[in-house]
């Protein structure tokens, strides 16, 4: 392992405690093993930390083997994992079934302009996307994950958390680059999110 990674793990060991949330997201730097998310998930789950995983490809496939608390693939990432092109809710639900059975508590599948599906044991929510001007899609998924972590941390009910997640994602695409959206924008979009429980 690289020195930086050892240092990061040391910092996490010192600071993470039971019921904390650890978000593992993004691509793996060169020279780091693709099973790093799997290793970190297993390590901190043992401490009672809730691990949120948002990745793609091999690091995502490896990471889910350690059964994180929440995963947030987009429909293309889930398609790659499932080994088939997913195009609708039915396909998504079939693809996530073994993941839920493995013990993953919550699965959020973002579908761009088609909205998102929020799945947990026994409950399925579908949210339509909000029609907003798109300046940049960079960081939209990260913004959704941040809102999911916030909702979990604050103990908001599922529907409120998922609505906030959609509003954050939409507000993020309205912002240029990786600028954080303004709270007032998120709040106005929150009231526009249409979410139904199946």
């Amino acid at each position: 392992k690289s020195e930086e990674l050892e240092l990061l793990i040391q910092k996490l060991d010192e600071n993470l405690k039971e019921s904390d949330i650890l978000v593992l997201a993004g691509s793996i730097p060169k020279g780091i093993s693709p099973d790093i998310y799997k290793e970190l998930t297993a390590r901190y789950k043992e401490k009672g930390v809730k691990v949120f995983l948002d990745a793609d490809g091999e690091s995502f496939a490896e990471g889910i083997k350690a059964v994180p608390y929440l995963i947030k693939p987009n429909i293309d990432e889930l398609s790659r994992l499932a080994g088939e092109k997913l195009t609708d809710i039915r396909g998504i639900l079939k693809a996530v079934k073994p993941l839920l059975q493995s013990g993953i508590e919550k699965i959020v599948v973002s579908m761009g302009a088609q909205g998102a599906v929020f799945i947990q044991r026994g409950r399925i929510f579908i949210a339509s996307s909000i029609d907003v001007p798109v300046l940049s899609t960079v960081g939209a998924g990260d913004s959704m994950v941040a809102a999911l972590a916030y909702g979990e941390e604050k103990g908001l009910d599922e529907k409120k958390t998922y609505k906030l997640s959609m509003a954050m994602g939409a507000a993020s695409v309205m912002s240029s680059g990786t600028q954080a959206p303004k709270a007032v924008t998120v709040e106005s979009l929150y009231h526009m999110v249409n979410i139904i429980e199946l």
Side-chain angles (χ1 to χ4, degrees):
K1 282 196 194 111
S2 73
E3 216 174 292
E4 288 95 336
L5 182 55
E6 290 288 5
L7 197 60
L8 172 66
I9 290 171
Q10 190 186 319
K11 290 274 183 212
L12 292 172
D13 284 349
E14 287 166 8
N15 291 288
L16 283 173
K17 54 195 184 301
E18 196 175 349
S19 299
D20 277 351
I21 294 167
L22 172 65
V23 176
L24 300 173
S27 52
I28 305 292
K30 272 196 178 83
I32 301 292
S33 169
D35 68 0
I36 185 62
Y37 285 159
K38 177 182 168 187
E39 189 186 312
L40 293 174
T41 299
R43 185 184 189 101
Y44 297 110
K45 258 181 66 179
E46 265 187 34
K47 281 186 155 199
V49 171
K50 290 178 177 175
V51 180
F52 287 26
L53 177 64
D54 178 15
D56 190 11
E58 197 180 349
S59 62
F60 180 54
E62 284 298 314
I64 58 172
K65 289 177 184 172
V67 192
Y69 177 79
L70 177 148
I71 59 171
K72 198 220 74 65
N74 62 37
I75 193 162
D76 295 330
E77 290 161 349
L78 187 63
S79 292
R80 283 191 280 279
L81 184 74
E84 62 177 299
K85 179 89 178 127
L86 303 172
T87 54
D88 58 14
I89 303 291
R90 187 171 292 173
I92 287 170
L93 294 179
K94 187 177 161 225
V96 301
K97 197 175 179 184
L99 300 174
L100 290 168
Q101 286 169 341
S102 78
I104 294 169
E105 300 272 340
K106 298 180 180 183
I107 301 174
V108 177
V109 183
S110 53
M111 305 181 295
Q114 310 304 310
V117 191
F118 300 84
I119 306 146
Q120 57 197 80
R121 257 177 243 157
R123 300 184 79 182
I124 300 160
F125 297 86
I126 295 176
S128 53
S129 68
I130 312 163
D131 193 15
V132 295
V134 177
L135 281 181
S136 169
T137 57
V138 175
D142 297 316
S143 298
M144 285 184 76
V145 174
L148 293 166
Y150 174 86
E152 189 77 39
E153 176 72 24
K154 297 289 179 196
L156 300 182
D157 73 49
E158 275 84 5
K159 212 165 187 177
K160 281 183 182 161
T161 299
Y162 299 155
K163 277 182 76 167
L164 182 63
S165 175
M166 292 300 290
M168 272 298 288
S172 174
V173 302
M174 290 169 70
S175 311
S176 62
T178 52
Q179 273 184 314
K182 290 185 167 56
V184 64
T185 308
V186 177
E187 199 171 323
S188 66
L189 291 169
Y190 176 88
H191 298 291
M192 294 165 68
V193 178
N194 184 24
I195 189 164
I196 56 161
E197 185 170 0
L198 291 186

